Amino acid sequence: MTDQASLESHYEKASIAIAQGENETALYHINECLALVDESSEAYEELKMKQGCLLALLEDYEQAQTVFDEVLRRAPGNADAWLLQAQLLLQKGDVTAAMEHLRRYISCAEETADQLSVMAQLCYGAGEYADALIYGEQALAMAADDAAYGELFRCMGYAALLSGDDRAEKYLTSAIERLADTDPELFYYRGVLRLAREDYEEALVDFDAAIGLGYGTALAYYNRGVCYLTLEDYERLLADMQKVVELNEDEELTQIAQQLIAELTVGSEQES
């Protein structure tokens, strides 16, 4: 078999293995391909990208990073390599280097709504909340239809919440509208915002939804109880405080709930 025929055979086998999720087999065939091509050929860069991606999928992150470093030395305009390297750096916790790679990615890539959305979500993951909101707004401005951008609205909502941005409730609402019943935390955190601005009835609706969808934390029950307290629904308040004590997830919260239960019990006895 000629080198060209062998190259084509290994490449085809690698493609089949990738499609079947057999990453170790795919990596073997890609490595065989790399041994058969000249480093100056156009195919070499493509093969190195596949090699790096497969190494990352196999959780050999150090070697994957080495591969992407080589690609970027050879082809500094390779936007995908900048993006993949940024993701690896984020995983290592090197936020500064990751953000620099993300900015290089944006400078190399043709800006699209999807790319800016990815950038926003990566910035959120890196704790760069202001940048996440900037890129997110740019993505939404470019999108012909934002119906498919539930994940983007989710990260923008949390980024705004964590940075004290007044748009948090708006973004969380947009996420809820698009993600339906997939994330009870969205309802919980919107409830927290509504509770903070003393919109107790709307906050109660959100806490009900969060708990009903499985977000039954002590804080969720406690915050719903606060709504019941303000709305003077003492029977439901008592039930939620008892749930807080039963869960006992936070000592201070449990003590507050126990005190409220005691006060409610005394009040009930005096009325009778």
Side-chain angles (χ1 to χ4, degrees):
M1 184 181 291
T2 64
D3 282 353
Q4 182 61 32
S6 182
L7 174 62
E8 291 174 359
S9 175
H10 280 297
Y11 192 84
E12 181 180 0
K13 290 175 181 177
S15 299
I16 292 171
I18 290 170
Q20 294 176 341
E22 298 172 356
N23 296 325
E24 289 186 7
T25 301
L27 181 59
Y28 166 78
H29 289 296
I30 290 298
N31 288 339
E32 291 297 306
C33 289
L34 284 164
L36 292 168
V37 299
D38 190 282
E39 292 187 9
S40 61
S41 68
E42 291 182 7
Y44 186 79
E45 182 182 337
E46 178 196 348
L47 290 167
K48 292 300 287 185
M49 287 293 293
K50 289 184 181 297
Q51 182 189 46
C53 290
L54 288 166
L55 286 165
L57 288 170
L58 292 168
E59 300 184 3
D60 189 348
Y61 302 123
E62 290 295 332
Q63 191 59 38
Q65 190 172 341
T66 299
V67 170
F68 292 132
D69 278 340
E70 181 183 348
V71 171
L72 290 170
R73 283 195 301 271
R74 293 171 175 274
N78 188 319
D80 288 338
W82 287 111
L83 177 60
L84 291 165
Q85 190 72 298
Q87 291 172 323
L88 291 173
L89 289 164
L90 281 176
Q91 191 159 17
K92 289 176 60 178
D94 190 345
V95 174
T96 301
M99 295 308 300
E100 179 56 34
H101 279 67
L102 288 172
R103 292 185 180 95
R104 291 294 297 271
Y105 161 70
I106 287 292
S107 70
C108 293
E110 178 184 352
E111 286 190 358
T112 66
D114 285 349
Q115 288 169 332
L116 289 166
S117 175
V118 169
M119 184 68 173
Q121 293 176 67
L122 288 170
C123 286
Y124 168 71
E128 299 287 342
Y129 303 130
D131 284 344
L133 294 173
I134 290 170
Y135 286 119
E137 286 290 356
Q138 290 175 355
L140 295 172
M142 292 184 70
D145 180 7
D146 64 14
Y149 284 86
E151 290 297 335
L152 174 60
F153 279 115
R154 184 212 305 265
C155 91
M156 292 176 73
Y158 290 151
L161 182 68
L162 290 166
S163 60
D165 191 295
D166 292 339
R167 295 170 291 178
E169 185 175 340
K170 179 185 77 171
Y171 293 139
L172 290 173
T173 298
S174 295
I176 288 169
E177 290 169 351
R178 288 157 180 80
L179 298 175
D181 298 338
T182 61
D183 188 351
E185 288 187 56
L186 291 169
F187 288 99
Y188 172 76
Y189 285 111
R190 188 176 68 175
V192 169
L193 290 169
R194 289 174 168 177
L195 180 61
R197 61 178 170 80
E198 301 181 358
D199 189 347
Y200 301 110
E201 291 184 355
E202 289 299 316
L204 179 58
V205 170
D206 279 338
F207 292 134
D208 276 343
I211 292 169
L213 289 169
Y215 194 72
T217 66
L219 265 174
Y221 281 104
Y222 178 80
N223 283 328
R224 188 172 71 172
V226 171
C227 294
Y228 286 139
L229 175 62
T230 306
L231 297 171
E232 299 183 359
D233 188 339
Y234 300 119
E235 184 177 345
R236 288 189 172 90
L237 166 61
L238 177 60
D240 275 358
M241 291 304 106
Q242 288 171 335
K243 190 67 177 180
V244 172
V245 173
E246 177 188 330
L247 291 169
N248 194 27
E249 294 173 354
D250 178 271
E251 183 179 352
E252 183 177 356
L253 202 62
T254 298
Q255 289 175 352
I256 294 171
Q258 288 173 329
Q259 182 177 348
L260 277 168
I261 291 169
E263 292 173 0
L264 287 165
T265 303
V266 170
S268 177
E269 290 174 350
Q270 288 176 345
E271 287 179 5
S272 61

